[in-house]
Amino acid sequence: MPVLAALLLAASVHAAEAPRKYGILSLVGDSISTVTYVPEIGSRTDTNDKQVYSLGENTLFDEAAIRAASAAVQQVQPDAGRFLMLSTDAGLHQQQNAMFDDATAHQADREFLKSLWKDKGITHLILITKYRADAELKFMNESSGTGKIEGLGFYMDDRVHVVAYKDKPDNHESTQGVLMPFAYVKLRLINADTLAVEREVRLRQSQMVTYAQNADERAVRTWGALSAKEKTDYLDHLLRAAVSEGVPRLLKQ
């Protein structure tokens, strides 16, 4: 019995130390949204103007997310295997959170999800999705914003007055209107066999940009504070930062 017990213990320790193999999938990057502040008058309803723009087959942001996650896994668990996945399936993107919030009603989506890593030896899935929450965006040294936002996008508020001080207190520039790129994402660590969620991390990243001064109409110059490339670069940076921060917390032993 002592010999058998020792063998069983050794086998148990070996199994516990076996490196994991993570499948990494992002569903956050299929669209971006713009949210423009609209004052609430006698109502608690979210009155902001919201527009959602589909990115179609463009996987730029999902690629950025899975690469950031892969690099973070390499740092935290260098012996772990990694299998990077991309999907443009509309159903998966539409139900990216619902299939875990209400698993019974989304069995077909869950089975399709599992098929993505069939026979790949995956032990766990790191899934990156949109996170819907109250707007808590970084204005200088404080947070502000109204209504709900999620995923990747831009929050605009034309009523905010910004004073930027330069080298002296009396040398400053006054502007009005801010544009805030944001990345609100949720990371889940999921058992690859059962799809049970073992851990979840929610992240909010944002950055304030003041408006461009060469436009005539305030709303236009707020949106024009960044070029198309700069908008893409901001979202890419914020998304990578969120994922890089979230993965170590997700995999914390």
Side-chain angles (χ1 to χ4, degrees), residues 131-137 145-149 184 204:
Y131 172 43
R132 177 176 170 80
D134 292 332
E136 293 184 2
L137 302 155
T146 64
K148 301 284 187 180
I149 58 175
Y184 272 37
R204 311 182 195 199

Side-chain angles (χ1 to χ4, degrees), residues 56-106:
E57 300 292 309
N58 188 335
T59 60
L60 172 68
F61 293 121
D62 282 332
E63 290 179 44
I66 63 174
R67 286 173 179 164
S70 178
V73 171
Q74 173 67 24
Q75 290 291 322
V76 177
Q77 296 182 11
D79 294 333
R82 286 159 287 154
F83 179 64
L84 310 188
M85 297 176 283
L86 282 172
S87 175
T88 57
D89 181 79
L92 277 188
H93 283 87
Q94 291 170 3
Q95 307 301 334
Q96 57 184 267
N97 289 311
M99 61 181 157
F100 296 97
D101 296 337
D102 187 1
T104 303
H106 295 88

Side-chain angles (χ1 to χ4, degrees), residues 75-220:
Q75 290 291 322
V76 177
Q77 296 182 11
D79 294 333
R82 286 159 287 154
F83 179 64
L84 310 188
M85 297 176 283
L86 282 172
S87 175
T88 57
D89 181 79
L92 277 188
H93 283 87
Q94 291 170 3
Q95 307 301 334
Q96 57 184 267
N97 289 311
M99 61 181 157
F100 296 97
D101 296 337
D102 187 1
T104 303
H106 295 88
Q107 285 300 326
D109 295 313
R110 290 166 65 86
E111 289 303 318
F112 178 72
L113 180 65
K114 287 181 67 174
S115 73
L116 298 182
W117 58 82
K118 184 178 180 181
D119 301 325
K120 300 299 182 181
I122 302 301
T123 62
H124 292 80
L125 172 69
I126 296 175
L127 181 64
I128 305 159
T129 66
K130 298 170 186 175
Y131 172 43
R132 177 176 170 80
D134 292 332
E136 293 184 2
L137 302 155
K138 296 176 181 177
F139 286 83
M140 301 299 188
N141 296 320
E142 61 183 37
S143 296
S144 185
T146 64
K148 301 284 187 180
I149 58 175
E150 68 175 334
L152 304 177
F154 301 89
Y155 183 96
M156 291 178 284
D157 191 336
D158 297 319
R159 70 198 171 113
V160 175
H161 188 74
V162 179
V163 178
Y165 291 95
K166 298 182 179 179
D167 53 340
K168 298 178 181 178
D170 59 348
N171 185 8
H172 62 271
E173 184 177 76
S174 177
T175 63
Q176 189 166 341
V178 291
L179 173 68
M180 285 163 285
F182 63 82
Y184 272 37
V185 300
K186 181 183 296 185
L187 276 63
R188 293 182 179 92
L189 178 64
I190 299 167
N191 184 292
D193 293 327
T194 66
L195 294 189
V197 177
E198 297 184 358
R199 185 169 294 163
E200 182 177 291
V201 175
R202 303 172 182 182
L203 299 120
R204 311 182 195 199
Q205 290 280 342
S206 64
Q207 188 165 346
M208 186 183 75
V209 181
T210 56
Y211 73 70
Q213 298 183 42
N214 58 354
D216 295 328
E217 197 271 321
R218 185 184 299 171
V220 172

